[in-house]
């Protein structure tokens, strides 16, 4: 089993910055891809950014140039640096991990609230 714990959310004014962290623990063999998703009331959970083993990153168009995803494999941690935050970035942010074995399995953290005031 894999456990994911997010941290770093909070309240920030528009234009400010936050850094989210996701610590993975448990059976981490074959964890190849990790990412950040977000969800607001009335909307489906959407991909914000993802990163593979080799460091290749993908971003939603709405956050390109403002957010940066990175990972520290020694610490089993993935980060999301969020700059130039906008009110529309307000959401619960969830960490995700893909475990690729004979069957792919996905894990989710409990989420961390990010609120951006205007």
């Amino acid at each position: 089993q894999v456990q994911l714990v997010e941290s770093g959310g909070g309240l920030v004014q528009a234009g400010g910055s936050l850094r989210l962290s996701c610590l993975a623990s448990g059976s981490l063999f074959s964890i190849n891809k990790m990412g950040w998703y977000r969800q607001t009331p009335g909307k489906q959970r959407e991909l914000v950014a993802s990163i593979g083993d080799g460091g290749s990153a993908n971003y939603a168009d709405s956050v390109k140039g403002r957010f940066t995803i990175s990972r520290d494999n020694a610490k089993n941690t993935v980060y999301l640096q969020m700059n130039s935050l906008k009110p529309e970035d307000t959401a619960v942010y969830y960490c995700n991990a893909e475990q690729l074995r004979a069957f792919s399995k996905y894990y989710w953290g409990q989420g961390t609230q990010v609120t951006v005031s205007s």
Side-chain angles (χ1 to χ4, degrees), residues 93-113:
Y93 284 71
Y94 296 90
C95 183
N96 169 265
E98 180 188 42
Q99 188 173 54
L100 185 60
R101 296 178 176 176
F103 297 92
S104 294
K105 194 170 184 178
Y106 299 88
Y107 297 91
W108 295 93
Q110 81 288 346
T112 185
Q113 176 70 48

Side-chain angles (χ1 to χ4, degrees), residues 9-63:
L11 175 64
V12 65
Q13 289 187 322
S17 299
L18 286 172
R19 189 178 78 157
L20 306 183
S21 299
C22 174
L23 175 64
S25 61
S27 300
L28 303 181
F29 179 73
S30 297
I31 295 292
N32 64 303
K33 185 178 179 181
M34 300 186 71
W36 289 95
Y37 291 70
R38 66 187 182 188
Q39 187 171 23
T40 57
K43 294 183 178 180
Q44 294 184 333
R45 191 171 298 182
E46 64 177 358
L47 175 68
V48 177
S50 64
I51 187 167
D53 281 342
S56 297
N58 293 289
Y59 298 92
D61 289 339
S62 59
V63 306

